[in-house]
Amino acid sequence: MSRPVIEVADIFRRHGPAWRSANAGRVSLGQLKVMAAIETCRTAALGGHVERCEDCSHVQIAYNSCRNRHCPKCQAIAAKDWLAEREAELLPVPYFRVVFSLPSSVADIAYQNKAVLYDLLFKAAAETLITIAADPKHLGARIGLTAVLHSWGSALTHHPHVHIIVPGGGIALDGLRWVSARAGFFLPVRVLSRLFRRLFLDKLTAAYHAGRLQFFGDQSALNDPKAFEGWLVPLRRTEWVVYAKRPFGGPEAVLAYLARYTHRVAIANSRLLAVDDTGVTFTWKDYRANERDRAKVMTLAVDEFIRRFLIHVLPSGFHRIRHYGLFANAGRAGNIARARELLHVPEPYHQPTEVEGVDADEPHTSQTPCPCCGGRLIVIETFERGCLPRYQPAPPRIDSS
């Protein structure tokens, strides 16, 4: 795959120093670390190795990745490894997708309290689905689900929401049979929306009274308990957005969806169109417009683009992919095995990975083929951070005949 013409890293390298200087004291250590990681990703600063093709002797330098979860270039490999694990856990049933979003006024305080409110969003959404699914009036079963946090809208604005993938059914409450959802329908959206609103606001209120929330700037008035209670009143009356999409066409469609959403960052390099000293131009989707007219182009001042990108930096150690119910980490293997037993399907066959069975003395090979002939690339040298390789690729020969 060819390198995008413009990358977030290019913007940070070119404009990052001035932006950091202008915003000194207002940028968190986590945001500074993300900027530094993206700027040095796949450069000599992180070290790397030299590869040579076994067939055509083409030589190239491959620099190491930063592996930061906010870097647009480092998520493909992480997503591939994660998806390989999820593929073995897929059940042969229809899968549904549900999206839970926070109202804009809650999103405003979520930015100042990311770790707490993002966690409440996960827990309230998961508890909502598990509770309604367990109700005999709806499904009457224990379900499993995988939830992925996104904090952004297409224009890089702050829009916290979770994408949830859930099988269309679950294990009966007595554990003796599999209960399937109705064809094309999982759970009623209005019921989900109202329980989600109640659960989230109850958890939010508890967090407030436990002193776990902080308010600054325009939100500082909410430090007064009476003001906070008044702020909650309209939230208890408005409808909260819970969006249930049509079921997937099959396991392959589930994996394709997960591949797009699990390891996505605020903006992909492929969406960047142009950058200069005055602004960054990129594509975005306006979901308020008709489907045919959603694709649009936006230009932001460079400072504003960097600010919007960095507001989506997650707190250190925060897990943005979580599993609940039958898929909770503690009992996932046993629950999936029981579900397969009730569905009368065998355990999936484990395909050995490329790493298994490789001779320790065999030269390490690259995962990518030679760009010249498609042959196998072998690593012939590694070099440390900040160093240059001893072996330099020869410059291309120019035919002057």
Side-chain angles (χ1 to χ4, degrees), residues 288-307:
R288 295 171 297 183
N290 296 327
E291 189 167 354
R292 292 182 303 175
D293 302 323
R294 286 179 178 176
K296 296 183 179 181
V297 174
M298 175 181 293
T299 299
L300 293 176
V302 174
D303 287 0
E304 176 63 9
F305 176 86
I306 295 176
R307 185 195 73 83

Side-chain angles (χ1 to χ4, degrees), residues 208-209 221-233:
Y208 180 87
H209 291 299
L222 297 179
N223 286 302
D224 178 8
K226 289 185 178 180
F228 182 78
E229 288 298 326
W231 176 80
L232 288 174
V233 172

Side-chain angles (χ1 to χ4, degrees), residues 7-39:
E7 296 182 350
V8 172
D10 298 324
I11 299 170
F12 281 4
R13 292 182 193 122
R14 181 175 176 180
H15 301 281
W19 189 88
R20 286 188 287 268
S21 177
N23 292 275
R26 298 194 297 271
V27 187
S28 71
L29 178 60
Q31 291 172 326
L32 292 174
K33 287 182 176 180
V34 168
M35 291 189 75
I38 293 176
E39 288 172 11

Side-chain angles (χ1 to χ4, degrees), residues 287-356:
Y287 289 99
R288 295 171 297 183
N290 296 327
E291 189 167 354
R292 292 182 303 175
D293 302 323
R294 286 179 178 176
K296 296 183 179 181
V297 174
M298 175 181 293
T299 299
L300 293 176
V302 174
D303 287 0
E304 176 63 9
F305 176 86
I306 295 176
R307 185 195 73 83
R308 289 196 190 187
F309 185 94
L310 292 178
I311 65 176
H312 304 293
V313 171
L314 293 173
S316 177
F318 189 89
H319 295 283
R320 66 177 179 187
I321 305 174
R322 301 187 184 186
H323 310 278
Y324 295 91
L326 298 179
F327 297 162
N329 292 333
R332 178 165 56 212
N335 289 329
I336 291 176
R338 179 56 176 163
R340 289 184 173 277
E341 180 183 353
L342 296 174
L343 288 164
H344 307 292
V345 294
E347 290 290 328
Y349 173 70
H350 171 64
Q351 291 281 1
T353 62
E354 295 180 2
V355 177
E356 296 173 341

